Amino acid sequence: MDKFQEIEKHYGQLHKLWLDYWTEEVVFTHQWWIMIFTLLIPFFIWWKLVDKTRIREISLVGLIVTCIAFILDQIGSSLGYWIYPFTLTPLERDLWTVADFSVMPFFYMMLYQWFPKWKSYLVGIIIFSLFAAFVGERIFEWLGIYKLLKWKHIYSIPPYILLGIFVKVILQKLKTIETLSKGKG
């Protein structure tokens, strides 16, 4: 128990240090405002672009992407692969990571909507993955919002692609189940 008590003591100190840092050097900075706008703007664009006849199906894509991206992001930051020097809230592991809750779901939903055929969808996912890894991540890095520690941008490409494939497979399975259920009813 001695080790745990020591961890507890350091955690309390670290938490206070983080809270002081956030209130003095993060909130209301230009990075913080960029994150607010980056969180909100994709929702407005999505509402204009989404095929409202398929809104439940496309929204499910966004929900699945958000959940998986958030979990993977928490794992990566917990393992020390990257950190977020700027967060929207004073939580050390911010629950509103802009990329996980807005940017990524937006792009995956639009790709799913615009490319119903597997071949074009895969091309779209690959192009998006390259763009996200080498442009999107670098922009967040340049802004100081995201910092790589033990990770390289190229490592992000396979997870981005696999996430897109996984989401499409799940949605196809759900649509098949739904169609079969309607046929029985």
Side-chain angles (χ1 to χ4, degrees):
M1 269 319 248
D2 291 336
K3 289 272 187 210
F4 185 75
Q5 288 171 339
E6 186 178 342
I7 290 169
E8 241 180 342
K9 177 183 149 200
H10 289 295
Y11 182 77
Q13 293 168 343
L14 181 61
H15 179 70
K16 183 184 177 340
L17 185 64
W18 177 264
L19 190 57
D20 291 345
Y21 162 73
W22 190 83
T23 55
E24 295 167 14
E25 298 183 37
V26 174
V27 71
F28 304 124
T29 61
H30 71 278
Q31 290 94 337
W32 187 83
W33 284 109
I34 288 169
M35 291 170 58
I36 292 285
F37 290 117
T38 306
L39 180 68
L40 298 175
I41 289 171
F43 287 106
F44 291 108
I45 297 170
W46 176 80
W47 186 251
K48 292 283 188 194
L49 298 177
V50 69
D51 176 355
K52 297 195 179 46
T53 64
R54 298 172 53 208
I55 199 163
R56 283 190 298 182
E57 175 185 353
I58 294 167
S59 295
L60 188 55
V61 169
L63 180 62
I64 294 169
V65 167
T66 297
C67 291
I68 293 172
F70 176 72
I71 290 167
L72 293 176
D73 205 5
Q74 295 300 303
I75 292 169
S77 59
S78 293
L79 292 173
Y81 293 149
W82 55 80
I83 57 171
Y84 294 97
F86 289 84
T87 57
L88 287 177
T89 69
L91 300 173
E92 295 154 52
R93 300 234 191 272
D94 201 346
L95 298 178
W96 288 101
T97 306
V98 172
D100 299 341
F101 283 84
S102 183
V103 177
M104 285 182 53
F106 169 78
F107 281 106
Y108 280 97
M109 287 187 289
M110 291 298 94
L111 289 166
Y112 181 83
Q113 174 179 307
W114 292 333
F115 302 110
K117 303 277 189 224
W118 265 106
K119 187 176 180 182
S120 59
Y121 179 76
L122 287 174
V123 170
I125 288 293
I126 290 168
I127 291 169
F128 164 73
S129 299
L130 292 167
F131 179 82
F134 294 120
V135 178
E137 288 181 11
R138 287 179 194 253
I139 290 171
F140 279 103
E141 247 187 320
W142 177 73
L143 291 168
I145 295 168
Y146 172 65
K147 184 175 180 181
L148 294 180
L149 300 173
K150 298 184 285 187
W151 193 259
K152 294 183 189 311
H153 295 289
I154 198 162
Y155 299 164
S156 298
I157 296 168
Y160 288 150
I161 292 170
L162 291 173
L163 179 56
I165 292 169
F166 177 77
V167 168
K168 188 152 176 90
V169 166
I170 293 298
L171 265 289
Q172 282 186 334
K173 296 267 187 220
L174 291 174
K175 284 171 72 173
T176 301
I177 291 168
E178 188 176 54
T179 304
L180 291 174
S181 296
K182 286 181 183 176
K184 291 180 181 178

